[in-house]
Amino acid sequence: NAGVTQTPKFQVLKTGQSMTLQCAQDMNHEYMSWYRQDPGMGLRLIHYSVGAGITDQGEVPNGYNVSRSTTEDFPLRLLSAAPSQTSVYFCASSYSGTIPPSYEQYFGPGTRLTVT
Amino acid sequence: GDSVTQMEGPVTLSEEAFLTINCTYTATGYPSLFWYVQYPGEGLQLLLKATKADDKGSNKGFEATYRKETTSFHLEKGSVQVSDSAVYFCALQSIQGAQKLVFGQGTRLTINP
């Protein structure tokens, strides 16, 4: 298993540009999420999905869109990049089917995004 | 809402020193508690977890005990190594949260030989 993969590893955008951060997992996890990591603030949840076709907002959703057409993929779209979106982005997945529930989340290696 | 507070870093220790990283939380009900570790240039990995009061999670010589009375989940290790240098995150999983994690701000640990 490759686990959770993310592309690209690094990206530089100009203000106003759009792009999509890719995330895929091969563990058949139903739950996937996107976090951003900023210095001194830990990780903050952007959007999450509890299964294909179902997404919801997290703590900091503004400026980002997501969709979940398959179990494996959960792309994050930046509609019009702003310098405040400079951050490291992590995708994570988890499976709730164990008894008792595990809640362990598996993280990808991250995408470092700089918006100038 | 739910929140996690970690001791501020960075923390610098010598090899074989005793480590404590404090973590306290605010949550309704009885959340599951986690410590994640992030090595340089990598994503987060689960280090240990506890799902109910008085549970002790342990892994790689690290331990943390779920203390409901003090709403704490402090991370400890008796003798740290240079390879333990990383950023450590305390997190909680609230029962209402549908597998959403709430993270502390992270504590950067550096171990000098």
Side-chain angles (χ1 to χ4, degrees):
Chain A
N1 284 352
V4 180
T5 58
Q6 292 183 238
T7 56
K9 290 181 73 73
F10 302 94
Q11 183 70 49
V12 179
L13 291 179
K14 295 187 187 307
T15 296
Q17 287 183 318
S18 63
M19 79 159 294
T20 298
L21 279 62
Q22 301 293 342
C23 174
Q25 53 92 9
D26 61 359
M27 297 174 283
N28 202 32
H29 287 173
E30 77 273 28
Y31 183 85
M32 297 184 73
S33 54
W34 277 101
Y35 295 87
R36 58 177 289 172
Q37 181 182 22
D38 300 296
M41 301 186 73
L43 278 73
R44 293 179 292 168
L45 183 66
I46 304 171
H47 285 284
Y48 66 99
S49 168
V50 299
I54 306 171
T55 64
D56 204 349
Q57 297 181 350
E59 183 186 353
V60 288
N62 291 342
Y64 307 95
N65 269 0
V66 292
S67 60
R68 182 95 179 270
S69 56
T70 66
T71 300
E72 294 78 19
D73 300 299
F74 191 43
L76 178 71
R77 282 181 286 277
L78 280 70
L79 308 173
S80 177
S84 60
Q85 293 178 305
T86 293
S87 187
V88 181
Y89 291 85
F90 288 100
C91 180
S93 72
S94 64
Y95 174 65
S96 64
T98 58
I99 299 174
S102 168
Y103 300 125
E104 176 181 351
Q105 294 203 15
Y106 294 80
F107 285 81
T111 294
R112 185 175 294 275
L113 176 68
T114 302
V115 183
T116 61
Chain B
D2 297 345
S3 66
V4 175
T5 302
Q6 286 180 236
M7 67 183 287
E8 295 206 17
V11 174
T12 302
L13 297 172
S14 298
E15 205 165 21
E16 299 183 0
F18 183 85
L19 168 71
T20 300
I21 301 178
N22 290 339
C23 171
T24 58
Y25 67 90
T26 301
T28 55
Y30 303 98
S32 295
L33 301 173
F34 304 84
W35 277 99
Y36 280 82
V37 59
Q38 182 182 29
Y39 297 105
E42 298 184 9
L44 279 70
Q45 305 172 25
L46 178 67
L47 180 60
L48 53 84
K49 67 181 181 184
T51 58
K52 60 183 188 296
D54 300 324
D55 267 2
K56 178 185 282 188
S58 61
N59 186 26
K60 300 182 180 180
F62 291 90
E63 292 183 340
T65 301
Y66 190 145
R67 301 285 187 202
K68 184 170 83 69
E69 63 276 12
T70 55
T71 60
S72 64
F73 193 54
H74 305 320
L75 183 68
E76 297 182 335
K77 187 175 185 182
S79 177
V80 293
Q81 307 299 314
V82 172
S83 57
D84 294 327
S85 298
V87 181
Y88 292 81
F89 293 92
C90 186
L92 69 83
Q93 162 62 51
S94 62
I95 296 173
Q96 298 85 353
Q99 299 205 22
K100 290 184 284 185
L101 290 176
V102 176
F103 285 88
Q105 70 269 38
T107 302
R108 182 174 298 278
L109 173 66
T110 301
I111 307 300
N112 294 322

